[in-house]
Amino acid sequence: MADDVEHFLEFVLKRSEEISLQENEDILSELLKHIDLLGRTVQLLEEIRDFVVNAGEPDSGKWQQLVNVYCEIESEFICLYNREATRITVTCQQLPLLIEETKCPGRLGYHIPKESLVQLRGLNFSWCKISEMFRVSRWTIMRRVNEYGLSNLQRFSIISDEGIDEIVREYISRHGSTTGEPFMSGYFRSLGHHVQRRRIRAFLNRVDPEHTALRWGALVARRKYFVRWPNSLWHIDGHHSLIRWKFVIHGCCDGKSRKIMYLKCNTNNLAETVLSLFHKAINENHGLWPSRIRVDYGVENVLVCDEMVAQQGEGRGSFIAGSSTRNQRIERLWRDVFRCVCQFFYYTFYAMEQTAILDVENPIHLFALHLVFTSRINTALDDFAAMFNNHRLSTENGWSPNQIWVSGMLNENNPLRFNGGQDDSVVDQHYGKDPDGPQSLSDDGVVVEPVQVIHGREI
């Protein structure tokens, strides 16, 4: 009996290691099966522990340690599942509602795929909203939830206050104290943790009361903006708060959902760089092209504009060019990017100059700065994009950009669910513009000269 239990526990550990290294399309189903296995393992260990305690055996402490270890493994896999589910973008083809025969008397049943429920729930949609997407009653969804064994998806993450403190302190140590509770909640969801907002808010108020008060004093006036569908209009621009040190941040966001399509720091402002980022965003969007884009007059956007005309057609406003002051949706994003990411590096670089550590006129210094900090800035931008796409928007009934995007792309009335779909919106130079929105502080068409070393080689 003891040998059987030992072999079973070894099998569970080995299987855990194998699944953690897997990279395939069916990873969510594998994770759910393994989470169920871990739950049964913990239950078995608890029964053995209780039997040993009642029998008065001296090994009860060791069995409790095993229970704690496997409980921790189960929690890690639940977080891994939540993190993987958040990264997946559900497409319209993934909501098939088919009629299937049942073995019971009565009318035919609906076939609702388990994978679709898993992915939508991973994006924090409620079961009621998921039932609306499938156009069935919520009781039908709940029956499928019970049939598939998905009831564990409804609970909050099992994480202690110390665990929350560790994650928040680690984030603050890397990015500073300028991030508030909504973005921090989005950061937890991007890590796969579903944590009550009150717990995060209480920690920030306790540990960082000064910056909490400052954030309340810097509220942003909400303005009206209207684009009918996700994928109707992408806003593309560059952020130049770090241009003194020849860093340029290229970004793109969807106008309807605010979802960040790409956000990367580069040491050049070339059209080829922007085009490469644009193509990567389309590939991650399952090959779906936006109906239109809004750009400024910068030369770094010309190749993207040519690609849009070739793909979507000429004479329909496939790209809308104007000054940066008309590109308010992404200008609003730049405010948060500077506050949560760039501000830290901005003052760090100036401090390095004031202490004579850095000389911006010295190409060797700039080369070393780019070598050390480009990856660091991009890591911070990746964290910010994941956090931003999962944070709740007060003006959108608490939905996140990811939820708005998925809900709109699953809407059967959305003509942009497939390539070739046409948006019949009236388009002019003011489309996707807020005349009272935030104004750009950067210039159009900034040229970043490459760093030249002594031998004239470009870095």
Side-chain angles (χ1 to χ4, degrees):
M1 177 66 179
D3 291 339
D4 293 339
V5 172
E6 182 179 356
H7 291 157
F8 174 72
L9 295 179
E10 290 178 356
F11 165 77
V12 174
L13 287 177
K14 183 178 179 181
R15 184 60 180 157
S16 299
E17 184 178 359
E18 291 175 353
I19 293 180
S20 64
L21 298 176
Q22 281 186 8
E23 294 183 2
N24 54 51
E25 297 180 355
D26 200 32
I27 184 63
L28 290 180
S29 298
E30 292 292 335
L31 286 173
L32 278 178
K33 293 178 183 178
H34 194 63
I35 289 172
D36 181 66
L37 175 62
L38 287 169
R40 296 176 185 272
T41 304
V42 171
Q43 184 179 4
L44 172 64
L45 290 173
E46 289 177 342
E47 292 176 355
I48 296 176
R49 178 203 59 192
D50 294 340
F51 176 80
V52 171
V53 170
N54 294 332
E57 298 290 337
D59 295 335
S60 59
K62 295 181 179 179
W63 286 105
Q64 181 60 49
Q65 291 177 0
L66 280 175
V67 170
N68 294 339
V69 168
Y70 279 85
C71 281
E72 185 177 349
I73 295 175
E74 182 186 18
S75 298
E76 290 296 328
F77 270 86
I78 291 174
C79 291
L80 178 60
Y81 159 79
N82 290 331
R83 186 161 60 249
E84 292 296 329
T86 301
R87 292 174 180 171
I88 294 178
T89 301
V90 185
T91 62
C92 53
Q93 294 91 339
Q94 290 174 292
L95 286 189
L97 187 59
L98 305 176
I99 303 297
E100 63 179 356
E101 295 185 2
T102 62
K103 298 181 180 179
C104 302
R107 64 181 183 180
L108 299 178
Y110 291 116
H111 171 65
I112 301 176
K114 177 181 178 180
E115 293 75 15
S116 297
L117 293 178
V118 169
Q119 293 176 18
L120 290 171
R121 189 60 178 173
L123 289 170
N124 293 318
F125 283 108
S126 66
W127 294 124
C128 289
K129 181 59 183 177
I130 293 174
S131 69
E132 293 176 6
M133 292 178 175
F134 280 101
R135 291 174 293 171
V136 297
S137 70
R138 62 189 178 96
W139 304 113
T140 300
I141 294 296
M142 294 311 299
R143 283 195 295 271
R144 299 300 182 275
V145 169
N146 293 329
E147 291 174 9
Y148 295 144
L150 303 179
S151 57
N152 60 331
L153 302 184
Q154 303 181 62
R155 60 187 178 183
F156 286 105
S157 299
I158 303 176
I159 182 172
S160 63
D161 290 341
E162 291 76 14
I164 295 177
D165 291 1
E166 181 180 354
I167 292 175
V168 176
R169 289 183 187 279
E170 188 268 340
Y171 181 88
I172 291 177
S173 68
R174 290 190 292 117
H175 304 307
S177 303
T178 56
T179 301
E181 177 264 323
F183 278 170
M184 193 61 68
S185 296
Y187 181 66
F188 271 86
R189 282 192 288 273
S190 72
L191 295 178
H193 297 289
H194 294 173
V195 182
Q196 296 90 332
R197 294 174 62 184
R198 59 177 175 79
R199 297 179 66 188
I200 300 175
R201 187 184 303 117
F203 175 82
L204 291 175
N205 289 338
R206 181 177 69 254
V207 173
D208 193 24
E210 294 181 358
H211 286 92
T212 300
L214 289 175
R215 284 191 293 271
W216 275 105
L219 297 179
V220 178
R222 305 298 179 187
R223 305 182 184 277
K224 293 183 178 180
Y225 173 97
F226 178 76
V227 170
R228 188 173 184 181
W229 299 111
N231 221 34
S232 291
L233 182 66
W234 286 9
H235 296 260
I236 299 176
D237 195 19
H239 182 62
H240 305 134
S241 64
L242 303 179
I243 195 66
R244 174 179 174 83
W245 304 278
K246 297 191 176 184
F247 290 109
V248 179
I249 298 175
H250 297 106
C252 173
C253 67
D254 175 66
K256 175 66 176 179
S257 64
R258 304 169 180 82
K259 179 181 178 181
I260 296 175
M261 311 310 293
Y262 66 77
L263 190 66
K264 286 295 178 183
C265 176
N266 295 284
T267 55
N268 65 73
N269 199 28
L270 301 177
E272 292 80 5
T273 300
V274 178
L275 181 63
S276 174
L277 294 172
F278 184 71
H279 281 160
K280 183 179 179 181
I282 291 174
N283 291 334
E284 293 176 352
N285 192 29
H286 301 280
L288 285 177
W289 287 66
S291 178
R292 296 176 176 88
I293 61 172
R294 176 175 276 281
V295 298
D296 59 30
Y297 291 122
V299 295
E300 71 274 11
N301 299 315
V302 293
L303 293 182
V304 172
C305 295
D306 291 342
E307 288 282 305
M308 282 296 297
V309 171
Q311 176 70 24
Q312 301 289 26
E314 193 172 2
R316 58 177 296 277
S318 295
F319 74 90
I320 306 169
S323 64
S324 292
T325 57
R326 293 187 175 183
N327 211 359
Q328 278 92 11
R329 183 60 98 193
I330 199 166
E331 292 297 338
R332 175 64 183 84
L333 174 66
W334 291 143
R335 179 187 185 277
D336 290 329
V337 169
F338 181 78
R339 178 172 62 89
C340 297
V341 178
C342 295
Q343 179 177 249
F344 177 84
F345 298 99
Y346 181 87
Y347 290 110
T348 298
F349 295 161
Y350 264 120
M352 292 171 66
E353 287 191 51
Q354 292 173 357
T355 55
I357 298 176
L358 173 65
D359 179 7
V360 295
E361 302 298 331
N362 188 325
I364 301 299
H365 284 203
L366 284 182
F367 169 70
L369 189 74
H370 292 173
L371 184 64
V372 172
F373 280 96
T374 301
S375 60
R376 292 172 178 253
I377 296 174
N378 277 321
T379 298
L381 291 173
D382 290 342
D383 287 345
F384 173 82
M387 173 177 65
F388 185 91
N389 287 339
N390 286 283
H391 89 289
R392 298 178 185 272
L393 301 169
S394 60
T395 56
E396 298 290 347
N397 299 318
W399 278 26
S400 68
N402 274 339
Q403 288 178 307
I404 299 172
W405 170 269
V406 171
S407 178
M409 296 305 291
L410 294 177
N411 191 318
E412 62 179 1
N413 296 319
N414 185 355
L416 305 176
R417 295 179 299 159
F418 307 96
N419 276 326
Q422 295 296 322
D423 183 3
D424 58 358
S425 302
V426 178
V427 177
D428 56 20
Q429 67 271 23
H430 301 291
Y431 181 67
K433 171 193 173 185
D434 175 13
D436 299 321
Q439 302 301 308
S440 172
L441 299 178
S442 60
D443 299 325
D444 299 339
V446 173
V447 177
V448 179
E449 296 293 337
V451 176
Q452 301 284 342
V453 294
I454 297 176
H455 300 292
R457 184 178 58 189
E458 294 185 359
I459 302 298

